[in-house]
Amino acid sequence: MKKILQLVSNDFEDLELWCPVMRLREAGFQVDLVAEKAGVYHGKYGVPCEVPMSFEEVEAKDYDGILVPGGWAPDKLRRFPKVLKLVADMNREGKLIGQICHAGWVLASAKVLKDRQVTSTPGIKDDLTNAGATWLDKPCVVDKNIVSARRPPDIPEYMKALVEVLNNQK
């Protein structure tokens, strides 16, 4: 069974966190929630998320991919050196990195966007292009191991792409 990390911090976009978790679990993948410390975190709309593990308890080598939610959580997540290391290690190993909406901030801070094609909410287009990416205004973009989407209405295409990349990953 493939194992995926779902990063969590307060003010995540509820749909952008929970839809991937539920869809990947439904497809038979193990999805582990991880945050600064174990505890309960809340989305932008108040939906709670109980997280059993801290960033310091996980290593990229033990997982097949990582998901970064949108909302305001990415601005908090990118401040943790361990989060940036997890994302950089996943990228170096060619493992899935899923990003949606504002999640691209984390990838920019992890310095994994040079010469990559991605999408995001248009509000962070400049951040991603300044990090070396080519930004595309499409619902979902797959560039090798990085799967990106713009916003909640694009979740169906994003979910299909995440499952496809994971199923094709060695």
Side-chain angles (χ1 to χ4, degrees):
M1 174 188 301
K2 291 190 177 173
K3 294 170 50 177
I4 314 303
L5 278 175
Q6 171 66 68
L7 299 176
V8 180
S9 188
N10 280 317
D11 300 318
F12 57 85
E13 205 301 329
D14 303 72
L15 291 172
E16 295 169 356
L17 184 139
W18 284 114
C19 287
V21 169
M22 288 187 257
R23 177 64 185 100
L24 292 179
R25 286 178 176 168
E26 175 191 50
F29 300 105
Q30 177 180 324
V31 182
D32 293 340
L33 305 169
V34 62
E36 177 184 8
K37 57 186 177 183
V40 177
Y41 294 79
H42 292 88
K44 286 172 42 178
Y45 305 106
V47 176
C49 180
E50 189 167 337
V51 179
M53 296 186 293
S54 75
F55 302 138
E56 298 305 323
E57 296 177 71
V58 297
E59 297 296 332
K61 67 179 178 57
D62 299 324
Y63 288 87
D64 299 290
I66 193 165
L67 301 173
V68 187
W72 301 121
D75 189 37
K76 297 170 184 161
L77 290 166
R78 67 182 175 167
R79 300 173 196 197
F80 294 98
K82 180 63 185 245
V83 166
L84 302 182
K85 182 178 181 345
L86 286 167
V87 171
D89 289 349
M90 292 280 187
N91 189 61
R92 188 172 28 266
E93 296 172 21
K95 295 179 178 180
L96 171 77
I97 300 172
Q99 73 164 61
I100 185 166
C101 200
H102 287 83
W105 276 336
V106 174
L107 280 69
S109 293
K111 298 180 177 25
V112 300
L113 292 178
K114 186 171 175 33
D115 300 323
R116 302 303 291 270
Q117 292 186 343
V118 295
T119 193
S120 67
T121 180
I124 67 165
K125 173 185 175 183
D126 291 346
D127 300 296
L128 303 186
T129 58
N130 288 335
T134 299
W135 188 86
L136 304 172
D137 188 13
K138 292 181 162 184
C140 184
V141 173
V142 177
D143 186 340
K144 299 175 189 152
N145 62 312
I146 296 177
V147 178
S148 57
R150 295 178 301 194
R151 55 202 163 111
D154 302 326
I155 286 174
E157 288 183 55
Y158 182 53
M159 295 303 92
K160 280 173 131 176
L162 289 176
V163 171
E164 185 175 312
V165 168
L166 283 166
N167 283 334
N168 291 327
Q169 199 168 273
K170 293 178 187 176

